[in-house]
Amino acid sequence: MINTTSDFVDTFFHNKKGKFLELGSENANPSGLEEPFWNLLLGDWHGVYVEPNPYSLEKLITNVTPYHADVIAAAWSDKSQILPFYASSTHPYCSSFDEEWNIKYIPEGARHIKYHADKIYVSTITTDQIFNKFGYDFDAISIDIELPADASFKLLQTIDFNKLPKCTLVILEMINDEIETFMSSNGFTRTLIGDAYKNWAWTR
């Protein structure tokens, strides 16, 4: 098993130039080993970041806008709407549409910090809206939206990979039988990456 997501991505693309989409970005986490695409951004890739949490957005904008990057201040959804969202200032990586998400997914090393989240309402953006604005020429997609596997699959299946012939890598946090079947039907095979924080890399 490759130890970090960033190592896997760097090895997979090597010196290639391209374009990536991050659905759920937090602050782009430039020092984090599980941040998939930071090194690509530094290598002059074009990055599109989708993030709804206002507590993360300021740092995200500061971190990525010096490079070839666009930031969408919205949440990814299957419909364009306004939805309640639990935005955490103490644990922003656990912000979610799911009010109870933090109970399962706050890392052990961060549980000494008292969790706090504010219920706010955020605008959502659909898959088609993203691709209609930024094109279908993405080489890589990361999906880290802090939702259970069944809800993640509901959104994943809105992506028509037939329209994304250049996309050869998808990083997913969740997996279930439906995700496995859907990704396999689109020609992807999976690799487990990471030690402390595991992700699935789907390649074709």
Side-chain angles (χ1 to χ4, degrees):
M1 182 191 303
I2 294 177
N3 288 335
T4 72
T5 306
S6 58
D7 284 345
F8 182 94
V9 172
D10 293 348
T11 301
F12 183 78
F13 285 116
H14 194 44
N15 292 322
K16 181 179 177 179
K17 304 294 184 186
K19 183 176 175 182
F20 65 79
L21 171 65
E22 277 201 10
L23 297 163
S25 309
E26 203 211 331
N27 63 7
N29 199 15
S31 62
L33 297 176
E34 300 314 314
E35 160 57 37
F37 300 147
W38 180 253
N39 288 341
L40 299 184
L41 187 67
L42 296 183
D44 202 29
W45 280 51
H46 177 196
V48 177
Y49 294 86
V50 180
E51 174 58 48
N53 185 4
Y55 296 119
S56 298
L57 277 167
E58 183 177 358
K59 287 184 178 179
L60 174 63
I61 291 167
T62 299
N63 287 337
V64 306
T65 52
Y67 306 98
H68 189 189
D70 293 293
V71 175
I72 303 173
W76 182 40
S77 181
D78 58 342
K79 297 177 183 177
S80 183
Q81 56 195 320
I82 297 174
L83 292 175
F85 182 81
Y86 298 90
S88 176
S89 56
T90 56
H91 302 75
Y93 45 83
C94 287
S95 298
S96 176
F97 287 121
D98 182 349
E99 185 176 10
E100 303 299 323
W101 188 256
N102 69 91
I103 295 172
K104 290 184 178 180
Y105 291 103
I106 291 180
E108 196 65 38
R111 291 185 180 272
H112 65 287
I113 303 171
K114 184 177 180 181
Y115 176 83
H116 173 79
D118 296 302
K119 181 182 177 181
I120 63 174
Y121 286 82
V122 299
S123 298
T124 65
I125 188 168
T126 67
T127 300
D128 285 343
Q129 287 175 319
I130 295 169
F131 292 139
N132 287 340
K133 176 65 178 177
F134 293 99
Y136 288 84
D137 56 337
F138 288 95
D139 299 87
I141 299 173
S142 168
I143 301 173
D144 188 359
I145 52 176
E146 308 305 326
L147 286 174
D150 56 346
S152 295
F153 171 68
K154 182 180 178 182
L155 293 179
L156 177 65
Q157 65 181 343
T158 68
I159 300 176
D160 184 353
F161 284 102
N162 292 320
K163 295 181 178 179
L164 296 164
K166 290 186 65 179
C167 184
T168 56
L169 172 66
V170 178
I171 303 291
L172 285 171
E173 195 178 31
M174 293 294 165
I175 191 167
N176 63 12
D177 289 344
E178 291 176 312
I179 291 173
E180 174 112 41
T181 299
F182 177 76
M183 294 302 290
S184 297
S185 71
N186 282 284
F188 289 91
T189 57
R190 63 180 169 91
T191 302
L192 180 62
I193 47 178
D195 285 337
Y197 305 102
K198 292 179 172 56
N199 284 312
W200 296 98
W202 294 86
T203 58
R204 64 177 181 180

